Amino acid sequence: MVKAKVLLEDSVGKKVLLLANEAIARGVLEAGVRLVALYPGTPSSEIGNSLYQMSPHIPNFYFEFSANEKVALEVAGASAISGARSMMVCKGPGLNVAADPLLTLAYVGIRAGLVIVVADDPSMWSSQNENDSRYYALMGNLPLMEPSDPSEAKSMLLVAYDLSEQLELPILFRTTTRVNHSRSGVEYGPIRDRPEYVQFEKDPLRFVPVPSVARKRHPWLLEQMEKARSISESTELNFTIGSGELGIITSGVSYNYVLESLKILGVDAEVFKIGVTNPLPERMICDFLRRHKKTIIVEELEPFLETQIRSFAQHHSIDVEIYGKQQGFFPRVYEYSPRIVTTAISKIIGCNTPINWDDIDERAQSLPDLPPRPPLLCPGCPHRASYYGIRAVTRGKAIYPSDIGCYTLSIAPPLETADILFDMGSSISTACGIARVTNQDVVATIGDSTFFASGLPGLASAVYNQHPIALVILDNRTTAMTGHQPHPGTGITGMQKHVEPLDIEKVCRGLGVEYVKTIDPLDSLTSLVAEVRELVKWVRENKRPGVLISKAPCALLTVAERRRSGITVPPYYVDPDLCTACRRCLDRLACPAMYLDSETGKAVIDETLCTSCGTCVYVCPHKAILQKEE
């Protein structure tokens, strides 16, 4: 990641190699954004990480990691209504969490620019579904913009703020993984000043949408979208390049694949690149369709453009052949590649590609397979000890609702403690539903950041309705999976200010949980197993929710802190004279730092991976795992 001081440079005209996420963070400076609020989520993570590093050095700027996406949008929306340019950032599923305020914000509108950056994740590299957030623009009547590379991400962001203020509407700014995590040269522009304070002007008959107000605001919103449609017809963000009988309409990252495919095929075509994808420039699209007998529509995921463009053609009686997903030329799943686009275009226009894909596939099959690298909990992860304890007590017979975060990795053998997962915070709620209709023990797990994000309402409901669930909160002192961002339990804010952290044990007691204990899972695995056993027993006997907080820092934080402090802790090793090759450590714990010596059949510890957590010591029945002397 580029250092904050590089993103903060006041050097107009300088070109810097940036990720699109970093380019967006730079755009926050150049657009004069006063407030940014977000909940971290990959593939948008580097936007927040960059702003977190930059925030103490930007005058009149406020940045926060909010408790969840709904809170973040309400913070940013209120700031924009007050008159300060603002931004909210999330990943695709995060926008679902913020959908409630999103749709109402469209009705009441804003006074200063508000951009909502949503990063979708085709192929689900780090998400639980392929959210196509473009449909929120249609449902909510919101303008939508889609950049195709880092340079455009920054320049388009500046236009988005101007458009937001011109229309008095929030702008959806949609990126996808391949845009977020690609890098290209970005030219710096001037940095705008930000006001220290703005004045909130009361107008409850606009900003309090009771039904009588909302009924008036809906027609207003539709009028604003008609103005947006006029802008879409004339903006330079919607443009054509090239010429030829073939027409191609595309947007976002697919634009790059189209250009590369045409170059590979040696085919001429007129390409219509759409930057404002809602509302679509209907007149421009119809003119484009009339110029071509054959038009191809290239877009990832759902046929968002294709469905509307087919409707335009039918409505205006345009004689054109439209090719896309409906005939099966392009898939509706996973992210595209130059190969997918090149193959589809070649089939549609009836030409051969100069690349022999079959030969490449055949040669690839002749290569030895790479060693399998399934996603696993890190060496020294305190969650492994917690899941070992849960598994040891319940012997795999309980139901294990899981949640969004590192803990979903417990799905893999031998831990196998993830049976059901919907969304952030769902482990507690789904546990309640299962506990009410089964006679089985239910042990749910949730992380500390997720607990604050979406777990609190579920636990309040569990207490009030007396659901018999055992909840283990895996408190590793950070938001680990998205890059160690702080949360309300860590004691540091987005502005890097140290504050009093919220105590999860006190929060649980405040919600009315009668049984709450905090333990360190790395203290003693024997004690951990005993604590889990007591929790499950208490819940079974009292028919109420109980909570065990398993609190120990993320292994990566521990290693980093030791490095900073110059502390070295001797690693563990397996004494081959004591080891009986029973494989219990490998089969029950499966720490990535341990492997099987194929010659002796005994376990070995890789000292370069061992974090000296010591969990494995308690798993060995023969006391064959020892720690080296300093």
Side-chain angles (χ1 to χ4, degrees):
M1 206 171 82
V2 170
K3 291 183 178 177
K5 66 178 183 181
V6 175
L7 293 172
L8 290 165
E9 281 184 35
D10 192 2
S11 309
V12 177
K14 181 175 181 177
K15 282 193 175 179
V16 182
L17 197 62
L18 297 179
L19 288 173
N21 283 346
E22 294 163 342
I24 290 170
R26 170 68 190 188
V28 165
L29 271 186
E30 295 184 13
V33 177
R34 176 69 176 79
L35 178 147
V36 178
L38 60 84
Y39 185 81
T42 307
S44 67
S45 302
E46 292 85 359
I47 301 173
N49 293 349
S50 298
L51 291 171
Y52 176 64
Q53 298 298 330
M54 297 161 65
S55 58
H57 310 289
I58 307 174
N60 301 328
F61 178 68
Y62 176 75
F63 171 71
E64 76 170 37
F65 289 109
S66 300
N68 64 26
E69 294 87 349
K70 177 178 180 290
V71 173
L73 184 53
E74 288 163 349
V75 169
S79 170
I81 285 173
S82 300
R85 283 191 168 189
S86 304
M87 175 184 282
M88 179 270 194
V89 184
C90 62
K91 63 184 296 179
L95 193 58
N96 304 335
V97 179
D100 199 357
L102 175 73
L103 299 188
T104 301
L105 260 173
Y107 270 49
V108 300
I110 41 80
R111 285 174 168 144
L114 173 63
V115 173
I116 300 161
V117 179
V118 54
D120 281 347
D121 187 18
S123 285
M124 298 162 282
W125 299 111
S126 59
S127 305
Q128 65 270 41
N129 58 53
E130 289 187 311
N131 224 80
D132 193 331
S133 300
R134 294 178 296 176
Y135 287 97
Y136 276 113
L138 279 183
M139 180 169 64
N141 282 299
L142 288 166
L144 169 68
M145 292 182 173
E146 295 185 72
S148 59
D149 60 36
S151 177
E152 193 177 41
K154 196 211 73 171
S155 60
M156 189 180 280
L157 185 68
L158 305 184
V159 180
Y161 275 100
D162 291 338
L163 181 61
S164 174
E165 288 168 355
Q166 187 177 347
L167 296 169
E168 299 182 51
L169 288 177
I171 303 292
L172 276 177
F173 196 83
R174 184 212 186 217
T175 58
T176 55
T177 305
R178 209 50 55 183
V179 174
N180 293 98
H181 291 159
S182 62
R183 196 178 286 275
S184 73
V186 176
E187 184 172 332
Y188 283 5
I191 295 174
R192 281 179 55 146
D193 291 332
R194 288 160 300 282
E196 184 176 4
Y197 292 107
V198 294
Q199 189 74 27
F200 182 89
E201 295 181 11
K202 294 185 179 185
D203 188 358
L205 295 182
R206 173 179 175 183
F207 295 114
V208 184
V210 293
S212 59
V213 173
R215 289 188 196 106
K216 293 176 183 174
R217 297 300 296 181
H218 196 182
W220 173 86
L221 173 58
L222 298 181
E223 288 171 10
Q224 298 307 99
M225 286 303 287
E226 283 308 308
K227 294 176 185 173
R229 196 179 309 280
S230 298
I231 294 169
S232 183
E233 295 284 4
S234 58
T235 177
E236 294 179 353
L237 299 178
N238 299 330
F239 61 88
T240 63
I241 64 166
S243 61
E245 293 185 359
L246 179 65
I248 299 177
I249 301 177
T250 186
S251 67
V253 72
S254 298
Y255 171 66
N256 305 311
Y257 301 147
V258 166
L259 296 187
E260 189 169 345
S261 298
L262 293 176
K263 190 175 180 181
I264 291 171
L265 294 170
V267 171
D268 292 328
E270 184 182 14
V271 179
F272 190 172
K273 198 268 188 183
I274 302 181
V276 178
T277 45
N278 193 58
L280 287 173
E282 183 173 346
R283 180 184 54 76
M284 288 182 72
I285 289 173
C286 289
D287 290 345
F288 184 86
L289 294 176
R290 290 189 184 97
R291 291 200 295 273
H292 304 281
K293 286 292 182 186
K294 185 178 287 186
T295 295
I296 303 172
I297 299 169
V298 187
E299 59 182 325
E300 287 181 326
L301 298 182
E302 295 300 312
F304 179 83
L305 299 178
E306 184 177 334
T307 303
Q308 294 184 76
I309 291 170
R310 286 183 186 278
S311 170
F312 294 159
Q314 192 275 336
H315 181 68
H316 294 279
S317 302
I318 300 172
D319 183 16
V320 60
E321 296 173 5
I322 297 176
Y323 296 87
K325 298 177 191 291
Q326 291 192 8
Q327 300 98 332
F329 287 109
F330 294 95
R332 286 176 61 181
V333 296
Y334 312 142
E335 64 177 356
Y336 286 0
S337 66
R339 175 176 178 172
I340 290 173
V341 175
T342 303
T343 303
I345 293 176
S346 67
K347 286 181 179 175
I348 292 170
I349 64 177
C351 75
N352 295 321
T353 69
I355 300 174
N356 189 335
W357 303 110
D358 293 335
D359 179 57
I360 292 174
D361 289 341
E362 191 174 331
R363 280 190 287 163
Q365 286 177 359
S366 67
L367 297 172
D369 291 334
L370 293 171
R373 295 180 61 193
L376 295 169
L377 294 169
C378 300
C381 174
H383 297 347
R384 176 173 287 98
S386 301
Y387 280 117
Y388 179 89
I390 293 169
R391 185 85 187 177
V393 168
T394 56
R395 300 180 181 177
K397 294 179 180 177
I399 310 300
Y400 309 111
S402 188
D403 225 297
I404 303 290
C406 300
Y407 17 98
T408 54
L409 300 176
S410 70
I411 190 175
L415 300 175
E416 296 178 290
T417 37
D419 290 324
I420 181 172
L421 167 65
F422 289 169
D423 52 44
M424 292 278 286
S426 67
S427 61
I428 302 175
S429 314
T430 53
C432 295
I434 292 168
R436 277 296 162 192
V437 297
T438 70
N439 194 29
Q440 297 164 276
D441 291 326
V442 182
V443 184
T445 51
I446 189 171
D448 42 350
S449 181
T450 310
F451 175 72
F452 286 116
S454 303
L456 296 170
L459 187 56
S461 179
V463 170
Y464 182 75
N465 294 296
Q466 300 185 351
H467 292 299
I469 63 168
L471 174 64
V472 180
I473 300 177
L474 304 168
D475 182 0
N476 62 3
R477 318 304 302 139
T478 188
T479 313
M481 188 169 257
T482 52
H484 291 160
Q485 294 85 0
H487 61 67
T490 58
I492 189 165
T493 70
M495 298 298 291
Q496 301 190 30
K497 180 180 178 184
H498 291 272
V499 296
E500 186 66 27
L502 299 187
D503 185 295
I504 293 178
E505 183 168 329
K506 289 181 181 175
V507 170
C508 290
R509 292 191 190 283
L511 287 173
V513 182
E514 298 171 47
Y515 185 100
V516 185
K517 282 189 177 180
T518 301
I519 56 141
D520 182 342
L522 302 181
D523 263 357
S524 160
L525 204 53
T526 305
S527 300
L528 171 63
V529 170
E531 292 291 354
V532 174
R533 182 174 288 115
E534 188 177 332
L535 168 71
V536 173
K537 181 171 178 285
W538 188 91
V539 170
R540 200 181 288 156
E541 291 175 349
N542 292 275
K543 302 296 181 189
R544 288 189 173 91
V547 174
L548 185 66
I549 302 164
S550 186
K551 185 176 177 180
C554 169
L556 300 180
L557 291 180
T558 301
V559 171
E561 180 56 34
R562 285 177 186 163
R563 227 177 255 143
R564 270 194 297 269
S565 307
I567 298 172
T568 56
V569 180
Y572 286 84
Y573 69 100
V574 178
D575 186 332
D577 295 332
L578 298 175
C579 178
T580 64
C582 71
R583 296 174 54 108
R584 184 185 175 96
C585 55
L586 297 168
D587 294 342
R588 301 279 184 89
L589 195 63
C591 175
M594 303 187 82
Y595 63 94
L596 182 71
D597 186 321
S598 57
E599 290 185 5
T600 64
K602 297 180 179 180
V604 180
I605 295 176
D606 183 342
E607 293 185 7
T608 62
L609 293 177
C610 179
T611 64
S612 308
C613 72
T615 302
C616 54
V617 172
Y618 298 94
V619 177
C620 178
H622 306 289
K623 303 188 184 306
I625 300 177
L626 307 170
Q627 191 169 23
K628 289 191 172 182
E629 295 181 4
E630 293 192 49

